Amino acid sequence: MTERDVFLSVGAQPSLDAMVEQIEFAEELGYDTAWAPETWGRDAVTLLATAAHRTDEIGLGTSILNAYSRSPSLLGQTAVTLQEASDGRFRLGVGPSGPIVIENWHGVDFGNPLRRTRETVEIIKQVLSGEEVSYDGEYFDLDGFRLRCDLPETLPKVDAAGLGPKAVEMCGRFADGWHATTFTHDGLADRMEDLERGLELGDRDPEEFRTTVSVTCCALEDSEHARDMVTQHVAFYIGGMGTYYRDSLARQGYEELAHTIHDAWQDGDREHAQQLVEENLLPHMSVAGTPEEAREQLAEYESIDGVDAVYTSYPRSADVDEIKQTMEALAPDRTE
């Protein structure tokens, strides 16, 4: 059975306490895992450490910590510590993020994100082995240290995010799970072939691998308002977050549309960009409408072969009440 997770919004969050309360609410509703993002707001590590002490059962994970602002060894230390803090409920998600965040916020050259993410995953797994870390890579050259604390009884899994064919193949080959985001139904199905190739190359057991799909959701009685917020959110990512998500959409068979949305947004014609999203993309890569409509739409994602978990994420403009309404409408017990 496909698991249903929750992804915390980074927008419209008045406090750390409000975010932790949403994780507590997700636990009450029966969600399997709460995923914390990290962009340029509150850091995910402090958030999850706080949540670990205020929850008992819900899984906790990062989606994602980027592979640039922390060293791979520190990411390994963080994974061990959060696993200890959560009594074995933690799962580490890492990935490259995107050039606009890495270069403009962290001031680091984006370089080769595929190679850097692979090296990061490999080093983290060495850290988690408890043995001396020895690594000679393109980005990292490490030797002479091992983790200076006992390993947790259950080691945390290490997931990776990827958009393009080679990145998804890398996830299957080296990580324990793949985080998929901003995919249409068909685009996601196409990437599954790349994931299977990576699993074969890494001689991995598909049964031990977790594919987690992010879906932007808004379920409100005011269905028009719900669709408007999701439309704006999708248009922002395609048009306002550099070229990373634009190019991912183009690879999914929407090249002309992706560039038109991006150009309209960059030219200041956001109304046109949002109109293009609403007319051409909304039902194919998001969930929006009344609670009943949204539940039916989310079930379509969960039925895609190879999807192990779907996490409901929320529009960047949604307020706390709208997020909680959507969480409640799409809670796992509503569809069992």
Side-chain angles (χ1 to χ4, degrees), residues 48 60 108 115 162 226 232 278 288 303 330:
L48 291 179
L60 302 171
V108 180
R115 180 68 195 185
Q232 193 278 340
E278 183 176 14
S303 68
L330 300 179

Side-chain angles (χ1 to χ4, degrees), residues 132-251:
E132 182 178 304
V133 176
S134 179
Y135 195 88
D136 182 11
E138 181 179 337
Y139 286 97
F140 302 101
D141 185 6
L142 311 175
D143 193 45
F145 285 86
R146 72 179 68 215
L147 195 63
R148 196 181 183 182
C149 63
D150 292 337
L151 291 172
E153 183 176 341
T154 302
L155 293 177
K157 298 296 186 180
V158 183
D159 298 342
L163 297 178
K166 287 297 182 182
V168 175
E169 179 186 297
M170 182 275 298
C171 293
R173 188 175 179 185
F174 298 102
D176 300 313
W178 169 41
H179 286 237
T181 185
T182 60
F183 280 97
T184 64
H185 298 163
D186 291 341
L188 181 63
D190 288 343
R191 289 288 79 78
M192 287 297 182
E193 297 178 8
D194 303 309
L195 181 64
E196 291 171 2
R197 185 170 58 253
L199 290 168
E200 291 175 4
L201 289 170
D203 195 23
R204 313 295 301 284
D205 182 356
E207 295 298 319
E208 296 181 359
F209 191 89
R210 191 181 200 261
T211 296
T212 304
V213 178
S214 169
V215 183
T216 304
C217 302
C218 192
L220 305 172
E221 292 300 335
D222 186 345
S223 59
E224 183 177 353
H225 181 53
R227 284 191 287 270
D228 285 345
M229 284 197 292
V230 173
T231 296
Q232 193 278 340
H233 180 94
V234 174
F236 167 76
Y237 269 84
I238 297 170
M241 287 292 286
T243 61
Y244 212 51
Y245 297 103
R246 179 202 70 185
D247 293 346
S248 175
L249 181 62
R251 284 192 295 268

Side-chain angles (χ1 to χ4, degrees), residues 67-68 72 108-120 123 135-142:
Y68 293 84
V108 180
D109 180 25
F110 197 58
N112 182 344
L114 182 63
R115 180 68 195 185
R116 190 177 184 108
T117 303
R118 171 181 167 173
E119 291 190 13
T120 296
I123 293 168
Y135 195 88
D136 182 11
E138 181 179 337
Y139 286 97
F140 302 101
D141 185 6
L142 311 175

Side-chain angles (χ1 to χ4, degrees), residues 25-37:
F25 188 51
E27 182 173 61
E28 292 173 10
L29 293 172
Y31 282 94
D32 292 285
T33 302
W35 297 97

Side-chain angles (χ1 to χ4, degrees), residues 6-24:
V6 65
F7 179 85
L8 296 181
S9 172
V10 295
Q13 298 288 357
S15 66
L16 173 66
D17 188 61
M19 299 183 79
V20 176
E21 284 182 356
Q22 288 168 38
I23 298 177
E24 293 175 301

